Structure formats: structure tokens, C-alpha cells
Amino acid sequence: MSSLLTIDDLKVHFPVRGGILMRQTAAVRAVDGVSLHINPGETLGLVGESGCGKSTLGKAVVRLIRPTDGRIRFENREITHLNQRQLRPLRRDFQMIFQDPAESLDPRMSVRAILEEPYVIHGIGSRDERRKWVDELLDRVGLQTSAADRYSFEFSGGQRQRIGIARALALRPKLIICDEPVSALDVSVQSQILNLLVELQRDFNLSYLFIAHDLSVVKHISDRVAVMYLGKIVELATAETIYRDPRHAYTKALLSAIPTPDPAAGREKILLEGDVPSPIDPPAGSAFGHRVGHPLYEQSIGLDLSLREIAPNHFVAADPCCLTPQDYEKISTVTPAA
Amino acid sequence: MSATPSPETILEVDKLITSFETDGGLLRAVDQVSFTVPARRTVGIVGESGCGKSVTAMSIVRLLPQPAGKILGGRIMFKGRDLTTATENEMHAIRGGDIGVIFQEPMAALNPVHRIGRQVAEVFSLHKDMSKKDAWDAAIEMLAHVRIPAPEKRMMDYPHHLSGGMRQRVVIAIALACKPSLVIADEPTTALDVTVQAQILDLMERLQQETGMSTILITHDLGVIAESCDEVVVMYAGRVVERAPVRELFSNPLHAYTRGLLDSIPTLETPSKSLLRTIPGMVASLGQHVHGCRFCQRMGRRTTVTRERPKFIEAAPGHWVEACPECTSVAR
């Protein structure tokens, strides 16, 4: 199957400057060698703690941040090094939905102006056509057409997110990067927005990169899930597999930390000590092994900790600190995934 | 239900009414809210934004925005005395003394220009009249108590030196410094990662066992409620629509709003990409005040909205619900 988006060993490093000459003293390795692909009509979930680099990855994929290294291909076209002008026609195909619709919608523009803008920028349609399309968009995301003449601040959080979704849909994109699109919303509104995203995906064969920290939400909407830790993907599998059969210790800890809305479910929690370590000067070996003070940490320095296929379509980092001895033994014979 | 004798009550909120004066008139943010907090128990208050859960909590410690917020009725009985009639000086002694408060955003709760040590020690010198030296030592002990590693060193740090989880531990240390009998925690883990949330909830549970305090835990997360609370108060549009022991509430929700909330959250068990149940509309604006059932107002049912307010009845032992004929099955 030819994938819609392929990223290959992508790195995004930010310089840290200091001293009187503001020389670069270190680098924040926000994204540090990530390879992923997204198929047409598929949702790839991306989860991890704050500061793990998931939002940076999402922005780099659509070239809102310049990658330091690696390759991004969109429909078999290399877009890693395109300049902004070359990117513009391609921007129709990938759009973004942000966490806080209040901040991503211009308060001085009417909803109609916000939704018309993509057409204007790309020079599509006559005035009347655009008017008709905006009405259709509003209808499609469950808003009344009368909303067009109002301003975004007149709407509730859920309605504003619908406007954000309508804007993302305007140019009929193939891929939408959803960066925490429901985390600012109340639960009853959150479910409305999730339902809308699922329906739109079916209707338009959209692909989503769905970034969130709420694992139940990610599980619900994703076909495959990638777990990110300190700039790297540590486990990647179908949503079902990630939740039924997690292999990486970090995935297990993340899953066990989700509070279950069932008071009768007594579960053992894996309590992680400490916080996400800093992506400035990350540990040389297993980053997670370092956090939990794993006895095998010293051994992991210098090892190739890249993803390997442990079961069909189930990839996990070959990390002696984070796998059971059986899993590690099994996986160390597998060649690294392409 | 259970035959355990009812433990003593630490706090009883009775028909509390809190209003805000606005340009658009008087808004009733808390509309005759009643619930009790037993000793050594955690009572959760859950509801969507704007339902009045934080205003209820802030009414108890009288930290309402001034001059707009006013308690207009009801009683708040804390250990036998009515806090609504307490003087401002008395409230000063109670806040941070016998009632501790933990806020959502630890960065906003801590003073950015003072060292951690000074902010924790201050509580001891204010409430316990300790000498500077004693207060400092007590503060170190308190930081160790909330499992902050190397507390002597952290005393010299400023809030921005610490991570979100560590900051929240400092706020908890301040809230618990005077061994309060009641702690009010307003969304204490909402700003934190799930892994850190698990640490903080675990810490609060252990501290509760050690000190025997009661907790009011305000959250919008039903998962947190299920795991941390003994009893639950469900609020909608300024009113309590349902109140029950936690297992009873999750296994036998009686009010349509509670059921709607429970049904709308995806869990790890819901089939992927299945359509979630939703509650139509959004939380009613407090400006559109009605006498009748406020949830019927959201659902667009005219008849019950215009009638009088549904009675709050005990449908089963300890299980209270606002008995609207449309929203609850028991009312028929």
C-alpha cells in the first residue's frame, strides 16, 4: 500500500544559546529520529507526556517547523526541503486543528471571513461560490449558517472547535494534524467533537495524525498508536494491540496511570517516580531506563535501541531496560525495522 | 445499603445559595446546594465547566471574587459552627488552618518571587506562632512528608525551578501544614500529566490515611472520581442533581445527566471509532434562570421547565436525586 505521508529518521533540534556571545551551548532534541507513516483514511494516534516532542513532531510533519534532519514524503513527493512558496500549493492537502480554538481563530474576523480565507489565499471560486461553500461547511460541522456573520468569541468552546474543524476542511485536505483537539473541552462536548471527526473521516477519506495525552480518547479514535518518549517512538502497534498487549515498560506505565471510570475495578498502578527528563542532553542509553534507575541502564549505552517488529505490525524499541527478558531476547535477533 | 455506622460529619452544606452581581443582573451560580462531608472521607464534586462546583468550594472558604460574589442563603456548618456568619478574621484563621485549599494551577498558587522555604514556613509562623527557626524546620519536615526529595535543598528553590508535579506537592504541603480536618482540592491534577496525576492522587490518599483528614475533590474527570472518592456529588447548572456513594452512583445512576456524562466518555473498552453517546446542547447559561428542571431546559422539554423545581429525594439509602419526571425513572 502506498502511504500518504512517510517520515524517515526525522529530527528537530532547537539550539540553546548562552553566554555573552549567545553561542549555541546545547540542543533540545525535541524530535530525535522518528520514522512513521500514515495511510490514506487512517488515524495514527500519537501519545506521550508533556515535553516528549509530540506537538513539535506534528508541526514538523506539515513543515510549520523546519526539520533538522531526516526526510518527509507526502504522496511520494519529498517535501523536506521545499521552500514556503513551493509548499503553498501542497498546503491544501494538509491542515491543522489546534487545542485552543479561541487562540487559533482571529477574534476580529467574522466566521465567514475565517472560513473564506483559505479559498481566497488559494484563489479558488467566485464570491458567490465561496459564500455557498462556507454555508455548506458550517452545515457539515453542525453549525447553523447564521453563525457565519458572528465572531468566534460569541461561541462556546465546542462550537469554536467546530469552526476550527470547518476551516481545516475548507480545502478538502487529505491529512489533518489534530493537536489535542478535545483536551480543552468538557466531556459531553468532547464526545460530540470526536463523533464529528469520525464521521468526517468516513465521508472524506481523511487521514489524521491525532496528538493527545488522553489515552482513552486516542484509543477510541485511532487505527494505530505510536507512543513517544523523549523525542523517540518507543512502541507502535494497532490501537487494540497497544492496549491489550503493551510490551514497552513506558507504555504499560502510561496505560496503568489512566483513571478508569469504574470504582469496582481494583487495579495495580505502576507509579513512575519523577518527571519526564529534559530533552537537553538526554541520557546516552535508554531514556526510560535512566528515569526509573534500571539496573541494566549502563548496559543499554551504545546499543541500537531502534524499533523492531516483535509481532506482526507491532513494533517496540529494542531496549533491555524496558522489555521483559523473554521479549528482549526474542527481539534482539530481529533486524531493525526499515 | 451498607451497615457501617455513619461516621461523624465534618462539614454540612445546607441549601447554599451563592450569586454574582453582573451587568446582566444577579446570577445564581450555586442554587440551593446541599451535601455533607463525613470525617476521613473523600467527597467528589463533578460536573462540566460552569456548573458551580468551584464556586461551591470557594463559598466554603469564602474566597469568592469580591465584590461580585455573595452568599445569599443557606448554611455551611463546619464542625458545628456556621461559616456563613463567621467574621473575616475568623475565616483567616480557618483558611490554611483547619481547612486547607489546593488549587488547580500550582504556579498561580505559589508566589514566583519568594523561595519555596519561605512560602511553606510562613504558614507555620502565621497559624502556629512558631519562631523563624522552628517554622523553617517544620517546613522541611512538611516537604519530606509530601515526598519531595532533598527537601533542605528545595527550600532554597523558587517555584519556577520545580516541575509541575513538584510544585503541586509544595501546594499540598502548604495546605496540609496545620493538619487541617478538611482539605478542598479544586482540580488538583488537571494541569498535570497522567503519570504525575497518578503520583499526586496516590500521595493524597496516603496523606489522608495518615492524618485522618476529609477531602472535597473537585474534578471534571469521572475516572478520578471513581478511583479517589467515597461519595460523589453531581452538579449541573448550579444545582446538585444527584448524590450517592461512589459505587452506587456508577452502577445505578438515576439522573439522565449523570447517565449522559457516564455514557459520553470513551473508555479503553469502547469499540474504536464507534459513535459515542452525547448530551445534546451545552451547559445552560446561568442567565437563563428557570424554576423547573434545568436539565430539561437543556434538552428542550418545555413542560417540566416551567413547573416548580423538582424535589431532591432519597431514592435509596444515601442515594439522593433531583426527582424530575422526565430525567429520572424513580420520579414516576
Side-chain angles (χ1 to χ4, degrees), chain B:
Chain B
M1 236 193 23
S2 63
T4 45
S6 63
E8 61 173 307
T9 300
I10 280 282
L11 179 83
E12 185 185 356
V13 176
D14 185 27
K15 298 205 172 68
L16 177 71
I17 301 173
T18 304
S19 294
F20 287 93
E21 264 175 57
T22 68
D23 294 342
L26 213 55
L27 293 188
R28 217 176 243 209
V30 173
D31 190 7
Q32 299 195 41
V33 162
S34 303
F35 65 95
T36 55
V37 182
R40 290 175 296 281
R41 292 283 193 277
T42 299
V43 173
I45 305 183
V46 70
E48 296 177 278
S49 27
C51 72
K53 51 192 194 301
S54 290
V55 179
T56 302
M58 291 309 123
S59 300
I60 296 169
V61 283
R62 260 208 259 139
L63 287 178
L64 296 167
Q66 289 304 322
K70 281 197 179 64
I71 296 174
L72 293 185
R75 294 186 312 159
I76 300 170
M77 301 302 289
F78 175 63
K79 290 178 150 181
R81 60 191 282 219
D82 189 353
L83 295 186
T84 58
T85 59
T87 65
E88 201 45 49
N89 276 341
E90 287 169 324
M91 286 310 295
H92 255 301
I94 289 172
R95 279 193 298 258
D98 214 7
I99 302 182
V101 187
I102 302 168
F103 297 95
Q104 171 172 353
E105 212 12 277
M107 200 59 206
L110 295 171
N111 190 327
V113 299
H114 292 314
R115 295 181 198 277
I116 298 296
R118 174 171 167 180
Q119 302 191 48
V120 183
E122 184 186 58
V123 189
F124 291 104
S125 30
L126 268 179
H127 287 276
K128 300 269 176 189
D129 244 349
M130 283 187 189
S131 71
K132 231 175 167 180
K133 170 84 180 61
D134 288 350
W136 191 263
D137 291 342
I140 294 177
E141 199 181 311
M142 204 58 223
L143 291 186
H145 199 53
V146 295
R147 280 83 170 171
I148 291 180
E152 293 89 352
K153 279 190 195 154
R154 295 291 86 77
M155 293 283 281
M156 301 307 290
D157 283 343
Y158 288 94
H160 71 265
H161 288 137
L162 306 182
S163 67
M166 281 299 148
R167 269 183 224 139
Q168 196 57 296
R169 282 171 199 260
V170 173
V171 173
I172 292 173
I174 292 172
L176 299 192
C178 296
K179 302 206 165 45
S181 7
L182 176 67
V183 168
I184 298 177
D186 190 356
E187 304 264 10
T189 58
T190 307
L192 307 172
D193 273 309
V194 273
T195 52
V196 181
Q197 164 170 287
Q199 294 168 2
I200 296 292
L201 291 176
D202 178 70
L203 173 71
M204 287 177 58
E205 201 175 311
R206 283 198 281 171
L207 293 171
Q208 181 169 41
Q209 280 161 8
E210 285 167 25
T211 65
M213 65 188 187
S214 303
T215 310
I216 296 179
L217 180 65
I218 296 164
T219 176
H220 65 279
D221 187 333
L222 286 156
V224 171
I225 290 279
E227 291 196 355
S228 306
C229 298
D230 302 297
E231 291 185 27
V232 193
V233 173
V234 183
M235 285 190 70
Y236 178 73
R239 299 180 186 170
V240 176
V241 291
E242 191 161 3
R243 195 174 102 197
V246 65
R247 286 194 178 212
E248 166 77 4
L249 187 92
F250 279 78
S251 59
N252 188 24
L254 294 176
H255 198 280
Y257 179 64
T258 313
R259 283 198 298 266
L261 277 185
L262 287 170
D263 285 343
S264 61
I265 35 172
T267 69
L268 297 181
E269 308 303 322
T270 24
S272 288
K273 298 196 183 183
S274 57
L275 288 192
L276 296 164
R277 297 260 206 100
T278 61
I279 306 175
M282 28 175 187
V283 180
S285 138
L286 295 169
Q288 311 160 291
H289 186 76
V290 290
H291 279 291
C293 174
R294 298 219 61 164
F295 192 62
C296 284
Q297 180 189 14
R298 173 165 179 173
M299 305 300 280
R301 290 189 284 258
R302 287 284 164 80
T303 49
T304 35
V305 175
T306 48
R307 272 188 229 153
E308 65 187 33
R309 180 166 170 175
K311 286 200 172 57
F312 200 58
I313 62 159
E314 191 170 16
H319 193 157
W320 293 75
V321 66
E322 201 174 71
C324 161
E326 293 288 341
C327 299
T328 58
S329 38
V330 284
R332 299 229 168 88

Side-chain angles (χ1 to χ4, degrees), chain A residues 270-313:
Chain A
I270 307 169
L271 275 187
L272 286 179
E273 293 290 322
D275 306 288
V276 187
S278 158
I280 306 175
D281 292 326
S286 159
F288 188 69
H290 187 261
R291 173 169 176 184
V292 297
H294 199 279
L296 292 178
Y297 172 71
E298 294 296 328
Q299 234 171 289
S300 72
I301 298 174
L303 287 182
D304 175 13
L305 303 178
S306 58
L307 292 182
R308 317 277 169 94
E309 194 165 17
I310 193 163
N313 290 316

Side-chain angles (χ1 to χ4, degrees), chain A residues 16-265:
Chain A
V16 178
R17 295 181 194 280
I20 35 171
L21 295 175
M22 293 311 275
R23 287 215 178 99
Q24 181 173 343
T25 52
V28 177
R29 295 159 176 263
V31 178
D32 202 17
V34 167
S35 303
L36 286 171
H37 71 272
I38 301 176
N39 294 320
E42 183 192 42
T43 304
L44 177 66
L46 185 61
V47 293
E49 290 166 287
S50 40
C52 75
K54 52 191 196 299
S55 288
T56 307
L57 177 60
K59 286 182 186 146
V61 161
V62 291
R63 289 287 322 272
L64 290 177
I65 293 177
R66 182 177 286 277
T68 313
D69 197 9
R71 293 197 311 161
I72 307 167
R73 270 179 302 146
F74 189 79
E75 293 190 313
N76 290 323
R77 179 165 176 202
E78 168 107 26
I79 62 164
T80 327
H81 303 292
L82 297 187
N83 62 31
Q84 290 306 325
R85 195 201 307 191
Q86 290 167 318
L87 273 171
R88 184 165 285 178
L90 282 165
R91 293 227 176 269
R92 292 180 65 165
D93 288 335
F94 36 81
Q95 293 288 327
M96 218 161 158
I97 302 171
F98 299 93
Q99 171 172 0
D100 190 344
E103 280 181 30
S104 58
L105 302 173
D106 190 335
R108 291 164 305 181
M109 289 166 78
S110 70
V111 170
R112 179 173 304 283
I114 288 172
L115 296 182
E116 261 186 3
E117 199 177 30
Y119 301 119
V120 175
I121 288 175
H122 289 272
I124 309 169
S126 66
R127 224 191 151 101
D128 287 344
E129 276 173 321
R130 293 203 293 258
R131 207 175 170 81
K132 198 180 103 217
W133 292 336
V134 168
D135 289 349
E136 282 169 6
L137 278 175
L138 286 170
D139 182 56
R140 191 61 204 81
V141 298
L143 291 171
Q144 289 175 342
T145 45
S146 61
D149 301 315
R150 293 160 64 191
Y151 290 85
S152 61
F153 56 79
E154 297 176 54
F155 296 88
S156 68
Q159 290 169 326
R160 276 199 286 246
Q161 196 55 290
R162 287 176 194 269
I163 299 169
I165 292 171
R167 179 178 61 181
L169 276 181
L171 298 169
R172 288 291 142 82
K174 293 171 180 153
L175 172 68
I176 299 183
I177 312 291
C178 310
D179 192 357
E180 303 266 12
V182 296
S183 25
L185 306 174
D186 272 314
V187 280
S188 70
V189 181
Q190 172 180 306
S191 53
Q192 294 169 5
I193 297 295
L194 288 175
N195 285 349
L196 176 64
L197 288 171
V198 169
E199 284 168 18
L200 293 173
Q201 177 165 54
R202 279 184 198 148
D203 293 355
F204 299 117
N205 196 35
L206 285 168
S207 299
Y208 294 136
L209 177 63
F210 194 94
I211 302 167
H213 67 277
D214 185 329
L215 290 98
S216 349
V217 168
V218 170
K219 150 90 190 335
H220 180 76
I221 198 153
S222 304
D223 298 293
R224 288 184 303 139
V225 175
V227 181
M228 194 164 180
Y229 187 74
L230 208 64
K232 292 190 163 76
I233 303 297
V234 295
E235 190 160 6
L236 170 69
T238 62
E240 214 51 39
T241 310
I242 282 276
Y243 291 90
R244 299 270 171 247
D245 186 25
R247 300 293 177 95
H248 197 282
Y250 179 61
T251 314
K252 290 178 189 172
L254 264 189
L255 283 172
S256 88
I258 316 173
T260 1
D262 176 8

